[in-house]
Amino acid sequence: MPTPSTHRPPAIGFVSLGCPKATVDSERILTQLRAEGYAISPTYAGADLVIVNTCGFIDAAVAESLDAIGEALAENGRVIVTGCLGARADLVRKAHPKVLAVTGPQALAEVMAAVHAQVPAPQDPFFSLVPPEGVKLTPRHYAYLKISEGCNHRCTFCIIPSLRGDLVSRPIGEVLDEAGRLVDAGVRELLIIAQDTSAYGLDLRYRTDIWRGQPLRTDIETLARRLGELQAWIRLHYIYPYPQVDRLIPLMAEGLILPYLDMPLQHASPAILKAMRRPAAAEQVLERLARWRALCPELVVRSTFILGFPGETKADFEFLLEFLRQARLDRVGAFAYSPVAGAAANALPDPLPETVREERLARFMAVQAEISRAKLAARVGQRLIVLVDEVQEGRLVARTYADAPEIDGKVIVPGAWELDPGDFIEVEITRSGSHDLLGVPVE
Ligand code: SF4
């Protein structure tokens, strides 16, 4: 048996920026580093080199990523860049010529090769240093589970397909094995993510795989059904309103997966959706919502929108406001359109002045704020199961099924309670605000 080295293992610093998909990439790199025996340094000073996983989605994220690279160079001096901004290596190298290596997103092998070239792996890696579920950046009780990479769509405001490539789905058995390991390790909520979750399996022609002796079709319905057998909340993100989503709603009504849909709609006007080249632009979203709610009255829908897209007329904007009033979505995020370097939308005619984009955003959010407030007020008096996120002095911070971590609201439960993050309790909702709820435990 090899004896452990008495030398300090080489230590790698890590800065993780960007969306949940980038977080999963970071977790994979950290898991591999630990598997090979590297230590992870929480400080720049203690690191032999620093990896910066960047985001390049909008110009503000590019600036934040470039700043983070600059800080790591100033504090440590030895920096490897990966992630979405890494796909634009020329831009990174122009701003920071001293970086040691630049790779794009999902580039585990390239990142590890760059690390090995700079700081060789220790001679005696301890594989036991890595827990079976891998290294996670999220709290212990919830985890993001990425089921595919890339995207087959070409929305005109988005550069993700040029950064991350076309859709590549993970084998269904591999996803289920990872989900099982996470739940065995104490994860109580799995957040299912991809660029386009409902397209899962399309690139594999929905092939049938054998997993643990059973045939399983590679599609989102089969996957959701099998995930629903785990002892955890299953929450679906980035679902487009394709017809196959109709088949997910009964799973929600049965209680197999959470009755929660994160469905980025971006607009409602047919002309703007066409200019955006959005997937499922022609689907009758209002009709679908009504049908889904009839099947599963608890259904909660979150969505995101872009205001002031090039060519958005007053009539398009009013159409969108009317859609919003009728759709009565539970949670909405919105942004004023801002050009992204490399996006096709930059070439569209009739860009709107910033003041108009911002003014429309404010009006849009004011309409939605009323709806969200009314929907939260309707929760008062309900008894709901909540998942405890944090135990703070004098109160619990928790969430119901209606709220995804980090993007939606919270339930605050005042008092000192003998509970831990990851515990489920039943509460009665006593008050509502514009974003959060207040509750008391049900005896
Ligand atoms: S669906 Fe559109 S917005 Fe989403 S990743 Fe694909 S191209 Fe980008």
Side-chain angles (χ1 to χ4, degrees), residues 151 153-155 157-158 160-161 195 240 278-279:
C151 179
H153 301 293
R154 295 294 180 264
C155 302
F157 56 81
C158 178
I160 282 177
Q195 305 298 342
Y240 292 109
R278 287 296 289 165

Side-chain angles (χ1 to χ4, degrees), residues 105-123:
Q106 309 146 46
L108 176 62
E110 287 102 308
V111 173
M112 292 312 298
V115 171
H116 296 153
Q118 301 297 332
V119 184
Q123 291 301 307

